[in-house]
Amino acid sequence: MSLLTNERLGISGATARKVELRPNWTEDDLQQVFRAAYEHVFGRERVYVNGVFASAEALLRDGRINVRQFIQILAKSEFYKERFFYNASQVRFIELNYKHLLGRAPYDQSEIAFHVDLYASQGYDAEIDSYLYNPEYDSAFGDTVVPYYRGFQSIPGMKTVGFNRMFALYRGNGNSDNAQYSGKSSRLRQQVAMNLSNTISASALSLGMGSYQPSGRLNLAPARGDNRVYVVEAIVGGVGTQVAVVRSRQRYLVPFDQLSQRYQEIHNRGGKIVSITPA
């Protein structure tokens, strides 16, 4: 896809990001690996890492483990479990494992069923290892490359539906996997179970917004005179003051072509976007 198309789809920050720890690496190279690994595996939650994996970093620096094993440590950690396992549905957990460890979305019900059965029979560690030690991971990343989002590209063995499904899981690098629409529930359960394709919804990144409720298929080039109207709900008040001020929740009816302008106005006033839904 072209750079312009990637920007309109909100995936320009996720495509072709390949970070590899090659022989004769420098400390700067190693730091790039750490940053890429935390960003991809934990997403927005990476901001809370803050030394949690110092021992694992030391092992990689000393050459006692490789990049694949470093990713394995991250995915088997309590840090990962607390954010993506304990409070999530089982199917949501599997979706996130595909996203974080293989860089794509699950294609069909057979892939979901395989991992449900694997976890039930062999447990958590076997579930994580099944993504990291298989021919697909070998071919895509091997022992030296940090996993990255491959689901937006043409990859060997990829089903066409995988491209659409990836949009249901990836909502921009600044978006939390635990704070998206649907909370910690599955994003793909219904479409996968019914063997249906997902619609492609504009990401929060592509519209420049922090909270977005999907509303159908994305129009890459909206026609002139687009008459869609959205309800923007925001919390406003209390900006520029050090005293306690009541902040109120307000709703605005905003035409499609004025969404970006309204978003900026709200944030310039110290407000926070709560939701954006079709009127």
Side-chain angles (χ1 to χ4, degrees):
M1 289 185 291
S2 68
L3 178 60
L4 180 59
T5 300
N6 285 344
E7 290 176 350
R8 286 178 171 174
L9 291 173
I11 61 173
S12 57
T15 55
R17 296 193 62 187
K18 184 175 181 179
V19 178
E20 182 176 6
L21 192 64
R22 299 177 179 178
N24 303 316
W25 49 264
T26 64
E27 180 63 24
D28 184 62
D29 295 331
L30 188 63
Q31 291 300 322
Q32 289 186 44
V33 166
F34 293 151
R35 286 194 295 270
Y38 294 143
E39 179 175 314
H40 186 78
V41 175
F42 299 125
R44 187 173 171 181
E45 300 292 321
R46 69 188 181 279
V47 300
Y48 302 109
V49 171
N50 192 26
V52 172
F53 297 99
S55 296
E57 291 183 8
L59 291 174
L60 184 58
R61 179 179 285 106
D62 294 342
R64 296 170 63 183
I65 61 174
N66 55 39
V67 173
R68 188 194 321 232
Q69 291 169 316
F70 183 74
I71 298 298
Q72 181 182 35
I73 291 173
L74 302 188
K76 289 186 177 181
S77 68
E78 281 298 309
F79 189 91
Y80 189 89
K81 292 177 182 178
E82 289 172 357
R83 283 152 180 79
F84 309 121
F85 175 64
Y86 291 138
N87 296 318
S89 69
Q90 188 169 23
V91 175
R92 177 60 176 161
F93 174 59
I94 292 169
E95 291 173 359
L96 290 175
N97 288 341
Y98 269 102
K99 176 185 178 183
H100 298 156
L101 305 180
L102 286 179
R104 67 171 176 87
Y107 296 144
D108 52 42
Q109 186 62 31
S110 66
E111 290 192 322
I112 298 293
F114 170 81
H115 288 283
V116 169
D117 291 343
L118 180 64
Y119 174 77
S121 61
Q122 299 184 40
Y124 185 95
D125 285 358
E127 159 68 3
I128 295 300
D129 287 344
S130 68
Y131 301 93
L132 298 170
Y133 295 96
N134 64 56
E136 181 179 356
Y137 191 100
D138 291 341
S139 175
F141 313 120
D143 290 331
T144 60
V145 176
V146 177
Y148 57 91
Y149 294 116
R150 304 179 301 134
F152 297 120
Q153 305 168 342
S154 177
I155 57 179
M158 176 181 177
K159 295 185 178 181
T160 305
V161 73
F163 181 81
N164 293 47
R165 298 213 195 290
M166 193 62 201
F167 275 93
L169 300 184
Y170 177 83
R171 307 304 300 168
N173 286 341
N175 199 294
S176 169
D177 282 325
N178 292 330
Q180 299 171 6
Y181 65 93
S182 300
K184 296 187 177 182
S185 301
S186 169
R187 307 296 189 270
L188 303 175
R189 181 191 298 273
Q190 181 176 358
Q191 287 78 12
V192 169
M194 299 178 67
N195 196 29
L196 298 174
S197 175
N198 295 77
T199 59
I200 298 178
S201 300
S203 70
L205 180 62
S206 67
L207 291 179
M209 300 169 184
S211 179
Y212 176 76
Q213 300 296 329
S215 57
R217 294 185 181 276
L218 172 67
N219 294 318
L220 297 183
R224 293 184 179 180
D226 193 320
N227 60 2
R228 285 176 292 171
V229 177
Y230 290 83
V231 177
V232 177
E233 187 171 3
I235 299 175
V236 297
V239 63
T241 178
Q242 296 181 356
V243 299
V245 177
V246 175
R247 296 171 66 84
S248 62
R249 186 181 292 253
Q250 298 186 13
R251 291 185 177 185
Y252 308 88
L253 285 176
V254 185
F256 175 81
D257 59 0
Q258 296 179 23
L259 277 174
S260 181
Q261 177 182 348
R262 176 65 71 172
Y263 169 81
Q264 293 176 10
E265 290 175 356
I266 291 171
H267 278 269
N268 287 339
R269 291 161 50 200
K272 178 182 178 181
I273 302 292
V274 175
S275 66
I276 301 173
T277 56

